[in-house]
Amino acid sequence: MTHSAKCPICEQPSATAYRPFCSRRCADVDLGRWFGGTYRIPAEQLPDAESEKAEINDKT
């Protein structure tokens, strides 16, 4: 049994040349979503320099 992967944008069968997408268009749509900030990777926010200085001054 062969399981064909689907394009994450339009859900058509993916093409080998554009894997995991079905076409150049869908690959470009995905790239545009990354550039536009639609997709985000969660991360811890780093403290700013002023907060670090205040913490250091409080400890001394």
Side-chain angles (χ1 to χ4, degrees):
M1 178 178 200
T2 304
H3 184 305
S4 177
K6 291 184 179 182
C7 174
I9 303 299
C10 69
E11 298 187 8
Q12 296 293 320
S14 66
T16 303
Y18 302 105
R19 192 179 311 154
F21 307 103
C22 67
S23 66
R24 174 70 180 214
R25 179 196 166 279
C26 284
D28 288 344
V29 167
D30 185 70
L31 184 61
R33 289 178 181 175
W34 278 104
F35 286 152
T38 302
Y39 300 140
R40 296 182 183 170
I41 299 172
E44 292 182 30
Q45 188 171 0
L46 298 174
D48 62 343
E50 293 299 319
S51 296
E52 288 181 12
K53 286 180 185 177
E55 287 179 21
I56 291 171
N57 289 336
D58 288 344
K59 291 181 182 178
T60 58

